[in-house]
Amino acid sequence: MNNGFSVKRLIIFFFGLIVAGILPALLMPPYSPAIGRVPVLSIALVLIYICFALPFVFHYTRRDADKILVGGAVYYKGVVTFSIVVGVASVLLYAGIIRTSVAIGVFLVALFALVIYLYLAYKTTEHISNVKAEENAKTAPVMELRRASANLANQVSAKHSGNQELVSKTSSLSDDLRYLAPSDSAEAAELEEAMLEAFRDVELYLKSGSERDISEAIKTLDEIRQLYLQRKSVY
């Protein structure tokens, strides 16, 4: 994935990490019974801070938005759950309700669960990205056909408006191709390539403008129509 990683953000991240690490010691009353639990409370705060701050360090660009939209939502859902568990364990530790060893055990289990959760989120996001790429690859030839037919129809309308047969055939093809369903079959790809090549031939004929070439253009449009009918039956 593309990201906007920078040294400036890294420096800010480590500064926040230091603050998170020493904050429990700064806030703890000097004679508090929980003074001995400060290192564990610092670890808890550091873990929570790292989880929330990592997206800031590895700042995603707009081009990645479609890839991390679902993964991002899942990420923060997992981080919030992790923070709640670690936070509750820290409060219980501070109050002396649970022992230090128990709190550390809770931290480790929560961290392990978070890692598994984020791995699954990553795989889900990767799958969504792959599916989208496959769909784009499947629709690209059809989109190119639509552009070619629309451009040809506009060209004919602008320069050959007096030839009603030519105008009718190009306009009809352009309208029909708007509803052509994408397909990933080899037969569909072959027909689509043949149609695109035929559209290019028509453009060359029209550039000449001679009666013979106009006639050839109309004949080629009829061939495109037959190719379209064949392609339409392929799913």
Side-chain angles (χ1 to χ4, degrees), residues 4 18 48 68 101 113 139 164 177 216 220 235:
I18 294 172
I48 293 173
I68 67 168
S101 58
T139 59
Q164 291 302 314
L177 285 170
E216 287 295 325
T220 305
Y235 299 97

Side-chain angles (χ1 to χ4, degrees), residues 162-174:
N163 191 321
Q164 291 302 314
E165 183 180 11
L166 190 60
V167 172
S168 175
K169 289 180 182 295
T170 54
S171 178
S172 176
L173 272 173
S174 179

Side-chain angles (χ1 to χ4, degrees), residues 125-146:
T125 307
E126 185 179 41
H127 174 70
I128 292 172
S129 178
N130 290 339
V131 170
K132 185 173 182 180
E134 291 173 2
E135 287 297 320
N136 289 339
K138 187 167 66 174
T139 59
V142 173
M143 296 301 296
E144 189 173 356
L145 278 173
R146 291 172 183 170

Side-chain angles (χ1 to χ4, degrees), residues 24-73:
L26 295 176
L27 298 179
M28 185 70 65
Y31 302 103
S32 172
I35 193 71
R37 303 170 194 138
V38 166
V40 179
L41 295 174
S42 295
I43 291 174
L45 189 58
V46 165
L47 288 174
I48 293 173
Y49 168 80
I50 289 174
C51 290
F52 278 101
L54 277 180
F56 170 76
V57 178
F58 299 97
H59 179 64
Y60 294 105
T61 65
R62 290 179 180 270
R63 287 175 294 176
D64 290 320
D66 59 326
K67 298 181 181 179
I68 67 168
L69 181 61
V70 176

Side-chain angles (χ1 to χ4, degrees), residues 205-217:
Y205 288 135
L206 294 180
K207 283 183 179 180
S208 169
S210 66
E211 290 187 11
R212 178 181 176 182
D213 285 339
I214 294 296
S215 178
E216 287 295 325

Side-chain angles (χ1 to χ4, degrees), residues 91-106:
V91 171
L92 294 177
L93 175 64
Y94 177 79
I97 299 175
I98 61 175
R99 292 181 296 180
T100 300
S101 58
V102 174
I104 293 176
V106 172

